[in-house]
Amino acid sequence: MPDSPAIAAQHLSRSTVVLAAAAAALGWGSRWATLPLRLHDHDSVNFASALAHFDLARHSPHLPGYPVYVALARLARNLGAPVEAALAWPALLAAGMAAALLLYGAAREVGRAAAVGLALLYLALPDVALADARPLSDGLGLHLLTMALTCGVAALRPAAAPAWGRAAVAVAGLLLGVRLSSWPLAGGLMLWLGAAAAPSERRVLATVALVAVAAWVMPLAVAAGGPGELWRLGWLFAQGHFRDWHGDPAAALAWPARLALWGQHAYHGGLALAGGAALGLAWAGRSRPFDRRWLGLALLVAAYAVWMALGQNPQRPRHLLPLWPPLLLLGAVALGQVGRLRWAPQTMAWTVAAVAVLGAGQTSLDRLAVQRQWPSPDVACGEWLSTQPADKTLVLGGSEVGVLRAVAPGVRALRVAAPGDLAQILKGPLGRAPHLFVTSRAAGLANVAGGSLQPVKTFPARAGIDLPGQALTVFRWVPGAALTLAAQEVLQ
């Protein structure tokens, strides 16, 4: 006698839970071997400093403070993890949870087999794998966003349990304490769920959101010295963020160049292909009953893309990471809406899926090996400087100075912020230091006179990991001589 529909659904749920648990184990296991051995950039240096002493005024870490991320990393540090690994442990744990929840939620949309493929693709994506292997908050923020959106999509299904929406709002509120820059996605999801809920449930969702945000805002205000001081520091940081673009020369880029740079990142990272595939699936299912969820996800993607173009640094491709979860879910919802595609035989569909997962996985393994074996140009420069005579060495640089101070604490390093400052420093007493080095990121490097910049060492960008412009060259300053030909070529 065949099982009743209720018993069949119970069997389906149990098997899906088992597969979700396997996805979680795979996520944790695959990330275990990629825990970082070194710091990555000046943001990771700030996070490392925050593990010992939380001080927003001293950028330990910088605003907005990332309190949820720092608290979890501190817990890992207190349990004995090295500083670099402790900063990646939150992402490691969240990766397994996000993969499991994504599989479980997507199984309701596209079936278990396709949901397994989606979870595997999520874990295999190079951008996701690299983010999880860095001592930064991006990986944890990405996985919290995946969990929030997955719960939100499930909550918007007909006759969905209220717990889905409440979980989505709670995770979105915590996400803001990890990556405040994801506010268009987190805030948009909260508003979307609130608008779709009944009035009584809307009040519950508002309460959950308030509690989730207050859980990290209140401790952050206390740590900053009070709400007023937190507001003052936040205002100062926001001004510097939009004016100086985190100290990088991106502010000099015109809008067409910035947008072109974002486009290049999206193309090389596969986001353009993923977005086109998701929208193509939605278009293929346009004749079926309209599912408002795919349109809502598309609007969330557009909202974040606008904010990214206006308020994020185009020289930091990791700001594209939050676009992956809504695009993957957009594809899942659209695929569920299309159903079995008559124009795509199942064998062809599974072949494409397998090639995508295997290709992404192989690319991730290759890039992870490079990232784990070789330090970033900034860290490599610091390691080299640590071999120089500490009491006689002075380094003038740019955004990498924080990393140099952390990796080579015995060497004096000064950041040159304004183009005119470098020339003044070189003319003064500091310009006669026995071992004076100037890096290629020091502001005003091309306008110095009265001496020679002799290239000493170049730390190249890692292929597939860093942007070409992140390469770092160190020059030795020799007063009273003309620029060498090699230096002129580097500066051009």
Side-chain angles (χ1 to χ4, degrees):
M1 180 177 179
D3 290 337
S4 67
I7 295 177
Q10 185 179 22
H11 290 169
L12 174 63
S13 179
R14 286 178 179 176
S15 59
T16 305
V17 169
V18 172
L19 289 172
L26 178 62
W28 294 327
S30 63
R31 268 53 179 169
W32 174 270
T34 65
L35 287 172
L37 303 175
R38 309 174 185 88
L39 297 176
H40 180 71
D41 58 9
H42 65 276
D43 285 337
S44 65
V45 169
N46 292 340
F47 286 133
S49 175
L51 297 185
H53 183 61
F54 193 93
D55 189 346
L56 295 178
R58 296 181 179 273
H59 284 210
S60 178
H62 62 70
L63 267 293
Y66 312 84
V68 176
Y69 168 67
V70 172
L72 293 174
R74 273 192 173 186
L75 177 60
R77 178 62 176 149
N78 292 338
L79 292 176
V83 170
E84 298 82 3
L87 292 172
W89 260 103
L92 181 152
L93 295 176
M97 298 171 62
L101 188 57
L102 182 62
L103 188 154
Y104 187 83
R108 298 166 175 256
E109 304 289 340
V110 295
R112 285 178 299 176
V116 169
L118 183 64
L120 291 176
L121 179 61
Y122 179 74
L123 291 174
L125 287 172
D127 289 350
V128 177
L130 288 173
D132 289 343
R134 290 173 178 166
L136 294 166
S137 63
D138 302 278
L140 176 61
L142 170 72
H143 300 314
L144 288 179
L145 177 60
T146 299
M147 288 186 273
L149 289 174
T150 300
C151 291
V153 168
L156 292 166
R157 287 175 61 90
W164 284 109
R166 297 170 188 179
V169 169
V171 176
L174 292 176
L175 166 64
L176 295 174
V178 176
R179 296 294 301 171
L180 188 58
S181 58
S182 295
W183 66 266
L185 294 164
L189 177 62
M190 291 179 181
L191 293 175
W192 186 14
L193 292 173
S200 58
E201 181 62 20
R202 196 173 300 163
R203 289 191 291 269
V204 175
L205 294 178
T207 302
V208 171
L210 181 62
V211 172
V213 174
W216 60 266
V217 167
M218 294 177 65
L220 182 63
V222 172
E229 181 65 10
L230 178 61
W231 175 262
R232 186 186 72 84
L233 291 173
W235 176 249
L236 291 175
F237 177 77
Q239 289 181 307
H241 172 78
F242 286 102
R243 183 180 63 249
D244 300 329
W245 294 83
H246 300 283
D248 292 321
L253 296 177
W255 278 110
R258 294 180 191 174
L259 295 177
L261 195 54
W262 284 123
Q264 292 176 18
H265 299 332
Y267 174 77
H268 291 295
L271 277 164
L273 178 61
L279 293 175
L281 285 171
W283 178 255
R286 67 191 184 281
S287 60
R288 294 179 178 269
F290 182 69
D291 191 333
R292 297 178 182 272
R293 293 177 302 166
W294 80 261
L295 178 59
L297 286 167
L299 290 175
L300 288 179
V301 169
Y304 181 80
V306 171
W307 152 247
M308 183 184 68
L310 295 176
Q312 299 288 5
N313 188 344
Q315 294 181 340
R316 293 291 183 270
R318 63 175 184 257
H319 291 308
L320 285 161
L321 276 171
L323 289 176
W324 273 114
L327 284 177
L328 290 175
L329 286 167
L330 174 60
V333 171
L335 182 59
Q337 185 180 357
V338 171
R340 182 172 179 143
L341 300 179
R342 296 179 180 178
W343 46 268
Q346 292 299 298
T347 302
M348 180 187 299
W350 286 116
T351 301
V352 171
V355 169
V357 172
L358 292 176
Q362 184 60 54
T363 301
S364 295
L365 290 175
D366 293 342
R367 294 183 181 179
L368 285 168
V370 172
Q371 179 172 270
R372 187 172 176 82
Q373 182 178 3
W374 303 103
S376 67
D378 296 6
V379 173
C381 181
E383 292 176 348
W384 175 77
L385 285 172
S386 66
T387 65
Q388 304 301 308
D391 58 337
K392 299 179 180 180
T393 301
L394 172 64
V395 184
L396 305 177
S399 60
E400 79 287 354
V401 163
V403 179
L404 304 183
R405 291 171 179 170
V407 180
V411 174
R412 187 182 182 189
L414 298 178
R415 180 172 180 175
V416 182
D421 294 346
L422 180 60
Q424 294 299 322
I425 294 174
L426 294 177
K427 291 178 182 178
L430 293 179
R432 294 186 292 274
H435 297 279
L436 176 56
F437 297 109
V438 184
T439 76
S440 53
R441 293 189 202 151
L445 189 63
N447 300 322
V448 297
S452 173
L453 286 171
Q454 301 176 353
V456 176
K457 198 170 183 64
T458 295
F459 304 93
R462 298 166 296 180
I465 309 295
D466 308 310
L467 296 178
Q470 290 177 311
L472 191 62
T473 298
V474 177
F475 303 92
R476 185 187 301 276
W477 172 252
V478 181
L483 287 177
T484 65
L485 179 61
Q488 294 174 359
E489 293 177 350
V490 173
L491 296 177
Q492 288 177 354

